Amino acid sequence: MTKDIYNPQEIEARWQKRWEDTALYRSEVDTSRPKHYAVTMLPYPSGNLHIGHWYAMSPPDARARFMRMRGYNVLFPMGFDAFGLPAENAAIKNNVHPKKWTYSNIDTMRRQMKSMGTMFDWEREAISADPEYYKWTQWFFIQFFKKGLAYKKLAAVDFCPHCNTTLAREQVWGEDRHCERCGTPVIKKELDQWFFKITDYAEELLDFSSIEWPERVVTMQTNWIGRSEGAKVVFKTESGHEIPIFTTRPDTLWGATFMVMAPEHPLVDVITSPEQPAAVEVYVAQASRLSDIDRESAEREKTGVFSGGYAINPVNGERIPIWIADYVLITYGTGAIMAVPAHDERDFAFARKYSLEIRPVIVPEGQTMDGATMEEAWPHEGIMVNSGPFNGTQATSDKGMKNPAICAVVEWLEEKGIGERHTNYRLRDWLISRQRYWGAPIPMVSCEQCGIVPVPDDQLPVLLPDDVEFMPTGESPLKLHPTWKNVACPQCGGAAERETDTLDTFMCSSWYQYRYLSPHYDSYPFDPEEASYWLPVDHYSGGIEHATMHLLYTRFFTKAMRDCGIFDNVKPMDTTNQPASIFSEPMTRLFNQGIILGEDGDKMSKSKGNVVDPDDLVAEYGADVVRTYLMFAFEWDQGGPWRKKDIKGPVRFLRDVWNLIVEPLPEPSGDPAGTAPEEAIRVLRRKVHQTIQKVTTDLENFSFNTAIAALMELKNTMQDFRNSPVAHTEAWNESVRSLVLMMAPFTPHIAEELWARTGNEYSVHQQAWPVADPKIAAADFIELVVQVNGKVRDKIVVPADVTEETAKAKALANEKVQAALNGGVPKQVIYVPGRLVNVVV
Ligand code: ANZ
Ligand code: ZN
């Protein structure tokens, strides 16, 4: 008889087909069961699945399977974020149409995902470049427009001269401000652009109280939104022009000895005195070449130029010079500041360089300070001095209105009508126009008579034409199409033109979790019945690189949808299927996995030649081994370098499990009754139940590696037991069954095969997760070392609370001790509780 060896390729293909034929992973609304909606970030169809995709997808797949076995009705869908620049770049390079390129990549990647053995419900697949999908992307745009959340304005935008397109702030990377995709340094360009008013939601986006997201992401989003409390105060020029400023330190108003305007400030020309124009012009031109990051850098030496103009400090009527300097940004606050060199480091450096007055107005209690001799700014607490009505007021180091001095001054400013309390955010509105072809057309029409008019719902989607010249020209390719943009105005019927920009693909991915619910539903973005049951997403996972873009956009999107009434027909349920209030957050829990690096510890990339191809690995070892390796060799949130040699561990593990279960049990021997010694059974059962406990909590906490380690230990214990002469017991069957069930989430194919081979009915993936009996798990047995004359002879298992008498008796009865004694009588038996029994002869 040929040995029945583990053949993953045969097993995996066979079961994948069976799962598909029987629609095993189809998830349907079932209000009799609690739901679990798990989503892992959808990929961009870049060509092939790389190992990073496997790392992002197979652990959540294991978790979703686990939740299913625990009785949840699990929805775990997948789709493709199919619009975007790489398709166009690839098309330009290889002269294939972006659509063809994208959809053929999708076919490949879908096939690869199936080879991974995932439980994705493919009937829910959503592809953002499908007209039935982007119809709704466009519809959302119109809803937001009608709600006043979408607007158009002329804006200086970052432009990549290589990709020939505008970029969002987040697509500009690094100190040198290069394009996220191609690395070319970006330049500025003025264009008429569409924006979403995400800033209207700045305050609400800072509230994370209803979600459990990693602290790191919460901090990154909080910093990104960048809330600062303070005041807006209006300074006036001598000629009466108003220059509002934003300050977080209104308590230092009396220490303002000059003002600074950003070089781009609209009043620069007005304020510049006739004696200064040339110097100012040169300086402004210089500044425009620098990035905001350079300009904000604390290390860079401050530069500036005097405008020749003066302003009046509204709190004390003092005349102060107005300077122009690039350390003030036009994009923050009001683009102009009052400079308080005694208390702000940047202003201090600037004042020293240009010999401007430094006047302390907040002095540590009991001290004096002299602006002329100060070595650095004093940004801390103290007593207000030189501050008119506020002399003697205590200023703490608190920020915002918690600081009594700031609070008092703001009240006074408001009373006097000079200024008002103001909260400023670093967050900018979301630029969503792209001068690119491969995206959803912005569904707007511009008519000379009627202005900008949305495309009526019954004319959606505005289809993206196939026949365009997508070679980059710096203009939207749709603009160059001979007929596409010509359209009758939806309002007056006159000749009008379509918007030729397309939507940022971050918009497509802001709502895909809703489209999965009913990807072919054509009267609404989602089927309200599905939405009522499944929403919100219970668990979301993806890379940390999305912390401030995608993850902020999708939160905004959900809130904007709520405010547009789009969820009004959704009647959400809580975890016990009771009516719940409408959600304001798209995803309740979030987990960020780490990154798999190349063997060399560098990021995997084709140019470095350190890319690991999952298809090769599947061909060599089978998907279950690759899944096990990825879940076992790394902490999921950490990732780390690929180590090909370490894949041997998982290979051995699955082979051992296979042999353990498939090979016939040895004939009972030794004990005539065929029962193992009580202790051996107890040890096995305890291990089984402890493993159930451990794997259950580990899977709850996404600790895949420790869960698999526990399964490996169980396997070892089972091997020991099986090799004992007495394996034919209920305990053995229980251990086999438990091991197979617990392996099902991690290694779905081999588990299914072993499940069938041990005489069970299809499918292991529809079984209940094993439940640990805490009494059995807790049954405390310990191992005692048995020595003869100090030499280890054996180990015995005894109850933890064993008496000295019993321990000694058991040790003496041990076969090996008997053999060593060889009929002799021990001189002495020493018992060290919990450790050993030493028989001295
Ligand atoms: C006077 C002052 C005195 C300030 C003081 C600070 C300390 P955050 O906390 O980041 O919001 N500022 C305002 N607009 C600016 C701009 N467009 N470019 C550069 N700097 C700008 O910073 C707020 C502070 O940054 C504001 O408060 C302002 O300087 C400066 F002892 O006003 B402050
Ligand atoms: Zn019109």
Side-chain angles (χ1 to χ4, degrees), residues 384-600:
M384 289 176 74
V385 297
N386 291 328
S387 296
F390 289 94
N391 284 340
T393 307
Q394 179 89 37
T396 61
S397 54
D398 292 313
K399 290 192 169 158
M401 297 303 145
K402 273 192 236 128
N403 187 328
I406 293 176
C407 195
V409 172
V410 170
E411 268 174 30
W412 181 84
L413 290 171
E414 286 181 344
E415 242 164 63
K416 297 255 170 198
I418 306 169
E420 59 191 18
R421 183 181 171 153
H422 183 77
T423 304
N424 199 64
Y425 301 90
R426 211 175 80 90
L427 184 68
R428 300 270 79 89
D429 276 341
W430 173 10
L431 169 60
I432 50 170
S433 302
R434 291 293 178 275
Q435 291 70 48
R436 277 287 166 161
Y437 164 65
W438 191 236
I442 296 178
M444 301 302 258
V445 166
S446 114
C447 164
E448 274 191 19
Q449 304 298 315
C450 316
I452 294 177
V453 184
V455 172
D457 286 2
D458 62 3
Q459 289 173 28
L460 294 178
V462 175
L463 286 173
L464 187 64
D466 286 338
D467 55 334
V468 294
E469 180 53 70
F470 44 76
M471 295 293 166
T473 60
E475 294 267 26
S476 302
L478 293 176
K479 211 175 232 167
L480 305 174
H481 189 283
T483 53
W484 183 81
K485 69 177 178 205
N486 304 321
V487 68
C489 168
Q491 211 157 293
C492 72
E497 278 191 7
R498 289 192 189 284
E499 172 64 66
T500 55
D501 281 0
T502 53
L503 291 165
D504 178 9
T505 57
F506 273 120
M507 182 161 169
C508 310
S509 57
S510 287
W511 73 279
Y512 72 108
Q513 66 271 24
Y514 304 125
R515 193 60 186 165
Y516 280 150
L517 303 176
S518 46
H520 313 297
Y521 199 70
D522 67 0
S523 53
Y524 208 62
F526 47 79
D527 177 342
E529 195 191 313
E530 298 270 350
S532 298
Y533 180 68
W534 294 109
L535 294 181
V537 172
D538 297 285
H539 191 264
Y540 194 43
S541 62
I544 187 74
E545 69 276 16
H546 293 292
T548 52
M549 312 178 249
H550 164 61
L551 288 172
L552 199 58
Y553 293 149
T554 189
R555 293 181 64 215
F556 156 71
F557 220 88
T558 294
K559 293 170 195 298
M561 282 170 71
R562 175 201 64 197
D563 292 347
C564 290
I566 295 167
F567 291 126
D568 285 359
N569 56 5
V570 175
K571 304 279 168 260
M573 288 172 279
D574 68 13
T575 46
T576 57
N577 291 333
Q578 296 304 303
S581 55
I582 192 72
F583 47 89
S584 292
E585 293 284 352
M587 297 106 182
T588 309
R589 275 184 93 183
L590 172 73
F591 198 102
N592 301 108
Q593 80 271 357
I595 296 175
I596 301 292
L597 304 167
E599 292 253 4
D600 51 9

Side-chain angles (χ1 to χ4, degrees), residues 228 246-249 252 327-338 340 343-344 346-347 424:
S228 295
F246 169 69
T247 177
T248 48
R249 295 294 307 275
T252 63
Y327 77 94
V328 173
L329 306 176
I330 191 65
T331 47
Y332 191 73
T334 63
I337 64 160
M338 63 155 176
V340 185
H343 303 293
D344 181 278
R346 294 162 301 176
D347 298 345
N424 199 64

Side-chain angles (χ1 to χ4, degrees), residues 682-691 776-777 779-781:
R682 286 219 193 106
V683 168
L684 178 66
R685 294 204 71 202
R686 181 176 60 151
K687 190 73 188 173
V688 167
H689 287 261
Q690 284 178 340
T691 308
I776 300 173
D780 239 345
F781 285 84

Side-chain angles (χ1 to χ4, degrees), residues 251-319:
D251 55 329
T252 63
L253 262 160
W254 284 263
T257 51
F258 59 101
M259 285 189 85
V260 183
M261 278 164 63
E264 303 85 352
H265 196 285
L267 284 178
V268 164
D269 289 343
V270 179
I271 276 138
T272 303
S273 71
E275 299 83 55
Q276 291 292 72
V280 169
E281 212 171 286
V282 169
Y283 186 77
V284 169
Q286 252 171 25
S288 72
R289 282 193 292 273
L290 291 171
S291 72
D292 283 6
I293 297 190
D294 285 336
R295 286 171 55 168
E296 275 188 295
S297 155
E299 279 101 75
R300 206 173 60 95
E301 190 176 333
K302 301 275 169 296
T303 63
V305 58
F306 178 45
S307 72
Y310 288 86
I312 304 301
N313 183 341
V315 300
N316 56 13
E318 259 179 54
R319 183 171 177 266

